[in-house]
Amino acid sequence: MTGRHRRRLAGILALAPSALLVAACSAGAPPSPSSASAAPSTSPATSPAPTPAAAGFVIRASWTQALPPRSTFGNLPVLVVTADGRVLTPGPVAEIYPGPLVAPVVERPISPQGVARLLQAARDAGILRPDGDFTGGTMLPGAAAARLQVAVDGIAYDLVGDANAATPCEPGASCPAAVPGTPAAFAAFWYRLLDMAAWLEAELGPEREHAPAAYAVIVGPPPEPWPGATPAVWPLADPALDLFGAPVKGEPGTRCGVAAGDLASALRPVFAGATQLTPFVATASASATHGLTVRPLLPGDEDPC
């Protein structure tokens, strides 16, 4: 594993839901799988494809945890293998404050052979089964569990497991193989998936910045004052800044919505130049400011609003 990939893997593994907290949307929205109970979800199911294919992914790795939607709005998946042959992962973020308004995402093309090898590795690990619970019964209530969504052989699998059930094995090291179908096998596949460049480099293309097709946006009160912060102008007359999305229940003056298509294209360059503390105004002559919280939406994401 190269130093660059080791740093990236360490960053990915740090992205447990509790470390990615930003504001959320309406409390009346359907709960996400991570907020359904007080313990890690242990009731994954299979369903006929094309549920994941229609959502645009073949494999999706994320964290799930019993947290309210307000705490999980900014949680990005740690990896998505898309149906059109790309690998999406969170990108590096400079350690400066304030950080960028939109968390960066990078993508690499992956060959059909590479996708086939990933799916075969999942079969070999024995984790593609109907019950899909690999938590081992030892995780504490409310702990973050690893979640894998996999589409293979016409079936959609939704799997959860304990990522700490096996220690990641460095390439070239002599490590005992996990017994297929066990929590250790799930964890071993999880770590192989997150460090796929170590064994699938020939099947991966060059890395580049990913341009999200949609964004979830919270429009709220003005952000914390920051010296030198220049207001950004909302680039659209329809919808106007004050009318974007829908009101957030229990939070007067706050709205949440999804920007996709032409709307996302119009907002992308403005978002790219903004930070988490950039004040937004409806027009260049307006004085009232708003703070924005923005999450890039990736294939398979549910509407966080």
Side-chain angles (χ1 to χ4, degrees):
M1 187 189 305
T2 66
R4 181 174 66 89
H5 290 134
R6 186 175 291 107
R7 288 192 299 272
R8 168 154 298 169
L9 178 59
I12 289 172
L13 298 180
L15 295 178
S18 59
L20 292 167
L21 306 184
V22 293
C25 288
S26 172
S32 68
S34 61
S35 59
S37 67
S41 171
T42 57
S43 57
T46 60
S47 60
T51 301
F57 70 89
V58 177
I59 301 177
R60 184 180 158 90
S62 60
W63 294 102
T64 181
Q65 190 174 16
L67 292 173
R70 180 177 186 85
S71 298
T72 60
F73 179 86
N75 290 5
L76 297 180
V78 296
L79 178 144
V80 179
V81 179
T82 68
D84 61 359
R86 294 171 295 154
V87 179
L88 311 181
T89 56
V93 179
E95 294 183 359
I96 58 174
Y97 184 83
L101 178 63
V102 182
V105 176
V106 296
E107 67 175 60
R108 298 183 73 178
I110 183 171
S111 70
Q113 293 79 9
V115 175
R117 290 179 63 184
L118 289 173
L119 295 176
Q120 186 58 51
R123 293 189 191 94
D124 294 343
I127 61 175
L128 301 180
R129 65 188 199 196
D131 60 346
D133 180 8
F134 299 95
T135 57
T138 59
M139 297 186 66
L140 296 176
R147 182 186 184 193
L148 286 174
Q149 296 163 270
V150 184
V152 58
D153 299 333
I155 299 293
Y157 296 90
D158 198 346
L159 318 169
V160 293
D162 182 359
N164 296 317
T167 302
C169 187
E170 292 284 346
S174 177
C175 302
V179 177
T182 63
F186 175 96
F189 177 77
W190 171 270
Y191 283 109
R192 288 193 77 195
L193 181 66
L194 269 55
D195 193 34
M196 68 173 67
W199 57 292
L200 286 181
E201 186 66 38
E203 308 297 342
L204 298 170
E207 194 174 90
R208 67 178 183 180
E209 182 180 359
H210 173 68
Y215 303 91
V217 182
I218 295 174
V219 180
E224 167 193 338
W226 186 255
T230 302
V233 179
W234 182 258
L236 306 162
D238 184 20
L241 178 60
D242 292 339
L243 298 177
F244 177 81
V248 175
K249 185 177 180 180
E251 298 188 36
T254 302
R255 303 175 70 88
C256 185
V258 171
D262 292 342
L263 180 54
S265 298
L267 291 172
R268 188 172 295 118
V270 180
F271 288 169
T275 74
Q276 295 169 338
L277 296 182
T278 295
F280 276 75
V281 293
T283 65
S285 59
S287 58
T289 62
H290 295 271
L292 266 58
T293 302
V294 181
R295 167 183 168 171
L297 295 180
L298 303 183
D301 277 346
E302 298 172 354
D303 182 351
C305 291

